[in-house]
Amino acid sequence: MGGFLLHLMGFCLGAFMLLVGSATVAPSGSGVRGGAAVIVDGTNPIATTDEDFVCATLDWWPPEKCDYGTCAWGLSSLLNLDLSNNILLNAIKEFSPLKIRLGGTLQDKVIYDTGMPQQNCPHFTKNTSELLGFSNGCLPMQRWDELNDFFKKAGAKVYFGLNAIYGRIPMSDGSYGGSWDSSNAASLIRYTVNKGYTIHGWELGNELSGSGVGTRVDADQYAADVTNLKFLVNTLYQGFETKPLVLAPGGFFDASWFTELVSKTKASPLDVLTHHIYNLGPGVDTHLIDKILDPNYLDGIANTFSNLQSIIKNGGTSDVAWVGEAGGAYNSGRHLVSDSFVFSFWYLDQLGMSAKYDTKTYCRQSLVGGNYGLLNRTTFAPNPDYYSALLWHRLMGKNVLSTNFTGTNSIRAYAHCAKGSEGITLLLINLSGNTTSQVAVSTDNKMYKTLKQHERHSTKKLNHLRGFGKKAMGFTREEYHLTPKDGNIQSQTMVLNNKILELDSSGNIPKLEPIEVEATQPITVVPYSIVFVHIPYFYAPACR
């Protein structure tokens, strides 16, 4: 019985035991690679994420924001987004909940029209002589009311980015000096509290860390300002059972700058260290797809995640790391790249890699807007990355497992405990356009002793696992195969298990249904495809 159980569950008795069955037919014209294996160690998690790891952003950019002759924002700003659109509402509701970060480049030029202090409420106006190319803008409280009503209806968890250069003085070296004037921010937070709106976090500033974007603020001054914000939040939310998180700095990672911020806020630590990622370069780059399909290039960002993880561990702080904004290619991305199927290779690899380094939340730029929105900026129909994000959110649990793929470097592999169910979920990304891989799943052999100790318990437990059929072998797994329409990786249409994903006539998000596969079959990963695999029979103590 013990040997039979081991065979069914795919456990190793030596180096590992592969689950290989009859060959699966690959598409004509593609090579088939056998002998590939993903080895998952389910003993202990190597990192943990938040349950609601997936996050998206909404920005301030007006229609006049243009890059390389293309104006890609339209009516997708926080100030003009159509909050009555049913598709937008449904798309957010599907996550239950979706974290949404409100902020972006122009947030440090936004005035809050609360009447405290009394001032004008201007519109953003393009002006190349001003910081970041635009004049100051304003958030009217009527619009703030509308936004909060909408987010409550959608069930979103909102994190708001505050203007961090308010009251500062521009310096001759291009930086901003002096202390942050918190009066306008305090008036917005006070208004929000008095209205009973739920904001889950307040973030100070956008891209002011290190050398900054447009301008910068020194780390020691930033630390003092974050401490001020933390005091403000604690004061205004006094008596609340749960207070909003305090996040900072919302900028690009700079090791010495982040180290100093952590050191100088140790007495009153902020809650979340946020950093931004645009590691593919400018949207105008014609080699974006080459970078996305190059595993060595994708690996290059790992140092950022690793170094930030080390700063937190060595800093004696309770801070955690978030990716607060990530659009891959800066200056609004690139049409038919960052809004097409091929970008899911980059995006899902980012989710998997960042999670391995204990990143708790990952915010995609953007939910709507630019050429990298999860949703089309005019129709709100989902782009391919929306479905990638939704499947991650539904299938990948918070416990991250050590995963090693052998056979080819064109397959990217990540594994988590399954979300809300037994076993694990495996993510496989095939960057090759020529090769189909037949992938077996195994576990590190140090699990064998643990399995033997729990074999009697496991045998009883296995009879109740979700998804088991009544066939003799009894074990099946669920697979979600994502491919582009017509095999074109620049398609904006996602295909799931050979079925095109599209909205119904009422604007509802389609069901994302798996296929069931017998446990003895290898996982077939066709060229230029992504596969989520829920394996309920994989015994992993980390997932108990």
Side-chain angles (χ1 to χ4, degrees), residues 5-19:
L5 179 63
L6 285 172
H7 174 69
L8 293 179
M9 297 177 70
F11 282 105
C12 57
L13 299 176
F16 54 82
M17 179 178 72
L18 301 180
L19 285 173

Side-chain angles (χ1 to χ4, degrees), residues 348 392 396 412-415 425-429 530-533:
L348 288 172
W392 177 290
M396 304 291 272
R412 315 285 283 184
Y414 300 98
T425 300
L426 179 66
L427 168 62
L428 299 172
I429 304 167
I530 296 160
V531 188
F532 286 92
V533 188

Side-chain angles (χ1 to χ4, degrees), residues 73 75 85 112 180 237 250 253 268 320-321 331 354 425 438 456 542:
W73 288 87
L75 300 179
N85 188 281
Y112 318 120
W180 172 54
Y237 286 89
F253 178 71
S268 180
V320 298
N331 289 343
S354 63
T425 300
Q438 305 283 12
R456 180 174 299 175

Side-chain angles (χ1 to χ4, degrees), residues 162-174:
L162 295 164
N163 180 342
I165 63 173
Y166 190 82
R168 297 190 199 273
I169 304 168
M171 309 299 284
S172 60
D173 63 357

Side-chain angles (χ1 to χ4, degrees), residues 60 102 106-122 137-141 144 160-164 166 180-189 191 202-205:
W60 294 100
L102 310 182
L106 295 184
Q107 80 178 51
D108 291 314
K109 306 202 73 174
V110 178
I111 298 164
Y112 318 120
D113 187 26
T114 63
M116 296 291 290
Q118 194 71 41
Q119 53 195 316
N120 294 328
C121 190
C138 173
L139 174 62
M141 289 304 93
W144 187 230
F160 187 88
L162 295 164
N163 180 342
Y166 190 82
W180 172 54
D181 181 347
S182 63
S183 60
N184 194 223
S187 69
L188 176 66
I189 298 173
Y191 179 92
W202 298 96
E203 183 178 32
L204 185 62

Side-chain angles (χ1 to χ4, degrees), residues 428-499:
L428 299 172
I429 304 167
N430 191 356
L431 303 176
S432 170
N434 301 311
T435 304
T436 293
S437 288
Q438 305 283 12
V439 181
V441 183
S442 183
T443 182
D444 191 275
N445 59 12
K446 66 185 178 183
M447 286 283 294
Y448 176 62
K449 183 177 179 181
T450 306
L451 173 65
K452 293 296 289 183
Q453 292 171 348
H454 295 284
E455 186 173 311
R456 180 174 299 175
H457 167 72
S458 298
T459 303
K460 181 179 179 181
K461 186 177 181 182
L462 284 170
N463 293 326
H464 300 86
L465 293 184
R466 184 173 68 86
F468 281 5
K470 296 181 179 180
K471 299 177 183 179
M473 295 298 289
F475 293 93
T476 61
R477 61 177 182 263
E478 295 173 332
E479 296 185 356
Y480 303 76
H481 293 257
L482 299 174
T483 53
K485 183 182 178 183
D486 299 327
N488 176 15
I489 60 174
Q490 291 185 262
S491 171
Q492 293 185 281
T493 301
M494 179 77 89
V495 177
L496 171 61
N497 296 329
N498 295 319
K499 180 180 180 181

Side-chain angles (χ1 to χ4, degrees), residues 31 33 36-37 290-299 344-346 349 405-414 427-439 525-531:
R33 183 187 298 274
D290 295 334
K291 292 178 180 179
I292 292 167
L293 298 178
D294 182 352
N296 294 320
Y297 192 93
L298 295 179
D299 286 337
S344 279
F345 294 147
W346 173 84
D349 190 64
F405 190 88
T406 63
T408 171
N409 69 346
S410 293
I411 298 280
R412 315 285 283 184
Y414 300 98
L427 168 62
L428 299 172
I429 304 167
N430 191 356
L431 303 176
S432 170
N434 301 311
T435 304
T436 293
S437 288
Q438 305 283 12
V439 181
V525 189
V526 301
Y528 287 152
S529 73
I530 296 160
V531 188

Side-chain angles (χ1 to χ4, degrees), residues 366-407:
S366 62
L367 177 61
V368 188
N371 288 317
Y372 36 38
L374 297 179
L375 306 176
N376 182 286
R377 70 176 177 273
T378 55
T379 67
F380 296 103
N383 284 323
D385 281 359
Y386 173 86
Y387 295 113
S388 296
L390 188 56
L391 280 172
W392 177 290
H393 178 75
R394 291 179 178 177
L395 298 173
M396 304 291 272
K398 66 180 184 178
N399 285 348
V400 186
L401 304 177
S402 175
T403 307
N404 181 38
F405 190 88
T406 63

